[in-house]
Amino acid sequence: HTRYYSDWSSDVCSSDLVARRKIEHEIPLKVAQPTSIEGSDFRLEKSADVWSFASAGSALAGALDNAKVQSLVSALQHLQVLRLSEGAAPAGETRTLIVGEGSARWTYEFPQANGQQYVRRSDMPQVFTLSSLDYDRTAGIAMADLLAQPPEITRPAEPRWS
């Protein structure tokens, strides 16, 4: 066992590290350059390096926060599984993202059960465990999370009459 120090200490078996490296390098769950992302309540498309809502009218076009979209894209580009899950995906709440890269499209299913998060991609039969951070950064995203916050309107103080 080797002890690593960061924010906390933990024992890590060297064979676990080898297995994790093998999973990370051999399992292509990451998407290099997504061109479309569809969640439960949004659909984004990229055109000439600009992300926009695909089916929304002009009402939401300016409300999209590109920094938040880039965070989602980065999460998909750097998606890391923890390990291969034993057996089939557990029954529980499942969120879905459909990600396109050029003409290719993949459906990512993110089941969650018993405090553990999982991921499965449509072109692969395996189910993998996922950290809660990666789960929140991918499956946990809704349209409201991608919108720019409207400017806060401040009202002038009411005059005080004596």
Side-chain angles (χ1 to χ4, degrees):
H1 292 286
T2 306
R3 185 167 297 272
Y4 290 88
Y5 294 94
S6 59
D7 294 336
W8 64 90
S9 300
S10 64
D11 288 332
V12 178
C13 179
S14 61
S15 64
D16 290 342
L17 291 174
V18 171
R20 181 178 169 131
R21 280 193 204 108
K22 185 175 181 181
I23 287 173
E24 288 176 357
H25 294 294
E26 291 182 6
I27 306 300
L29 289 179
K30 302 172 187 178
V31 180
Q33 296 296 324
T35 55
S36 67
I37 304 170
E38 183 177 343
S40 62
D41 62 350
F42 68 91
R43 178 167 166 71
L44 301 171
E45 288 185 353
K46 184 178 180 182
S47 176
D49 294 333
V50 177
W51 286 95
S52 61
F53 287 112
S55 59
S58 60
L60 288 178
L64 186 63
D65 186 330
N66 283 313
K68 293 177 181 179
V69 174
Q70 280 308 120
S71 291
L72 174 58
V73 169
S74 178
L76 290 166
Q77 289 173 328
H78 299 96
L79 186 65
Q80 296 209 357
V81 298
L82 298 177
R83 64 186 160 276
L84 185 61
S85 178
E86 301 291 327
E93 178 188 357
T94 300
R95 296 181 181 181
T96 303
L97 280 180
I98 300 170
V99 180
E101 183 176 15
S103 62
R105 289 174 58 88
W106 299 279
T107 300
Y108 287 81
E109 293 178 350
F110 296 92
Q112 182 176 17
N114 302 321
Q116 180 64 55
Q117 296 78 26
Y118 303 88
V119 62
R120 175 180 42 204
R121 199 167 83 176
S122 57
D123 62 335
M124 304 176 76
Q126 298 91 349
V127 178
F128 303 92
T129 58
L130 191 65
S131 72
S132 59
L133 176 65
D134 279 340
Y135 182 87
D136 292 342
R137 291 176 39 187
T138 52
I141 300 296
M143 183 180 354
D145 300 316
L146 299 170
L147 298 176
Q149 298 298 323
E152 200 171 304
I153 299 172
T154 57
R155 296 183 181 190
E158 294 289 327
R160 293 188 174 202
W161 303 97
S162 351

